[in-house]
Amino acid sequence: MAYFDAASAAPLHPVARQALLASLDDGWADPARLYREGRKARMLLDAAREAAAEAVGCRADEMVFTPSGTRAVHTGVAGALAGRRRTGRHLIVSAVEHSSVLHSAEVFEAAGGTVDRVAVDRGGAVDAAGYSAALRADTALAVLQSANHEVGTVQPVAEVAGICRAAGVPLLVDAAQSLGWDPVEGDWSLLTASAHKWGGPSGVGLLVVRKGVRFAAQGPVDERESGRAAGFENIPAIVAAVASLRAVRAEAEQEAVRLRELTARIRARVPELVPDVEVVGDAERRLPGIVTFSCLYVDGEALLHELDRAGFSVSSGSSCTSSTLTPSHVLRAMGVLSEGNVRVSLPRGVAEADVERFLEVLPGAVASVREKLGAPAPATRVRSAELVVDSLGKRCPIPVIELAKVIGEVPVGGTVRVLSDDEAARLDIPAWCEMRGQEYVGEEPAERGTAYLVRRLG
């Protein structure tokens, strides 16, 4: 089985396993106690904090360990907003942040705060000018990921950090996807990360709050981790997390070159091997191991199952997954095709032969799913200047498949009106038009759902 979902959770690094086992004997006691066992645990914890701070590029007393990356984000956002509540109740995030950031923003909004969500381009990148324009006198905090978790696009963190610093607004950087490759550049104020993204054990997050940043921890607190992460520290897991961070950093430069070549190969060959595919994400400013593409006329969940049967573990931002019936918020913000979406995120040390085998298997897997869904064959008949396709009650990618089947039945200049109540149609029909050289006219209210108008250009 080839595991191609490292962006969700990287396999445990051998160094992490060794450090975890080695520290179980000395890291079990309470590091707050003064007896011998407590002092041993405290030494392990302090050494891990020093090493983590060196890898991040901060002071040790600015670093705390949390039970997860998500908890680090929730604590960091809430604490920074509370610490600057006298400044105002305005938060800035990008439209493609991780769900942990967006959930924090929703909670803040529900409590009376205001949130600006900065748009991204079709490659998934924010324009630093968008953050500059969103800044206000009452802005308490801005948040920006270092790199996108779904499409791999690297964000202009240093530039945004400079803009925020000049305005006196702290910037929190979610560095979960990138910290295993490089320190985060720029004059940021807060940073979060998660160990299982770089091959450490799950259940360890990092939260950095620079000195001078106003911060008020929310909820019950205790004396541990500067009052910012209540509860007994999992010292063996923390030691393993930091050991693996140092190990992957030592390998990063060489491994990044190799993974960039493999992902560039996937980006180039998938459109050659599979018709009607859109490769998404910035082609240049991207993480080494992530490549994402979407396939017309394909059910994303069905394709993932097909690839799983062929021996490949991948993930999807498609609207048709087991957990959601709406398109990924990242793909939606980018305005790209969402149906049949596949994210390949290669783990460090992946074999080139596995990538080649994936490229051999993929065309057959896509063709199989399209055949089961009745994907369109070329149409030649001309019947009417306008056709209505009733796709109400049908989920992706059926509305687009039905549109593709009939577009050839109207003359050039004729229109097809697609009726759909699936949220994904608002994204996928315009994306189909761009890919197939047809004109997306727009949408109109319908008695049920929405009518999407497409004009045939050729």
Side-chain angles (χ1 to χ4, degrees), residues 57 134 197 440 451:
K197 301 292 187 180
Y440 178 64

Side-chain angles (χ1 to χ4, degrees), residues 379-395:
T380 57
R381 294 174 296 168
V382 176
R383 293 181 177 174
S384 170
E386 178 169 288
L387 288 178
V388 176
V389 174
D390 186 350
S391 291
L392 294 168
K394 300 175 182 178
R395 296 295 178 187

Side-chain angles (χ1 to χ4, degrees), residues 339-373:
E339 67 187 46
N341 179 261
V342 173
R343 180 186 69 181
V344 173
S345 49
L346 303 176
R348 298 163 194 260
V350 64
E352 181 179 0
D354 285 339
V355 172
E356 285 298 323
R357 189 166 65 86
F358 174 77
L359 292 170
E360 292 173 5
V361 165
L362 180 66
V366 174
S368 175
V369 174
R370 284 175 172 167
E371 183 179 5
K372 292 173 184 175
L373 291 172

Side-chain angles (χ1 to χ4, degrees), residues 59-126:
R59 293 169 37 159
D61 59 356
E62 296 172 333
M63 163 88 64
V64 300
F65 297 107
T66 66
S68 68
T70 293
R71 176 54 59 190
V73 167
H74 292 172
T75 300
V77 171
L81 288 171
R84 286 175 47 83
R85 58 185 175 272
R86 291 185 179 179
T87 297
R89 300 271 289 161
H90 178 235
L91 169 67
I92 304 172
V93 300
S94 84
V96 295
E97 294 299 317
H98 187 268
S99 58
S100 59
V101 171
L102 298 183
H103 292 160
S104 291
E106 289 166 3
V107 169
F108 178 64
E109 214 166 18
T114 57
V115 179
D116 271 344
R117 296 166 176 84
V118 178
V120 297
D121 62 21
R122 196 170 175 83
V126 302

Side-chain angles (χ1 to χ4, degrees), residues 108-174:
F108 178 64
E109 214 166 18
T114 57
V115 179
D116 271 344
R117 296 166 176 84
V118 178
V120 297
D121 62 21
R122 196 170 175 83
V126 302
D127 184 342
Y131 272 76
S132 180
L135 287 168
R136 306 186 330 203
D138 63 341
T139 302
L141 177 68
V143 181
L144 179 62
Q145 59 190 193
S146 55
N148 187 259
H149 50 292
E150 286 195 28
V151 299
T153 299
V154 172
Q155 303 291 3
V157 170
E159 189 177 355
V160 172
I163 291 170
C164 291
R165 176 68 67 179
V169 173
L171 176 70
L172 185 152
V173 179
D174 173 12

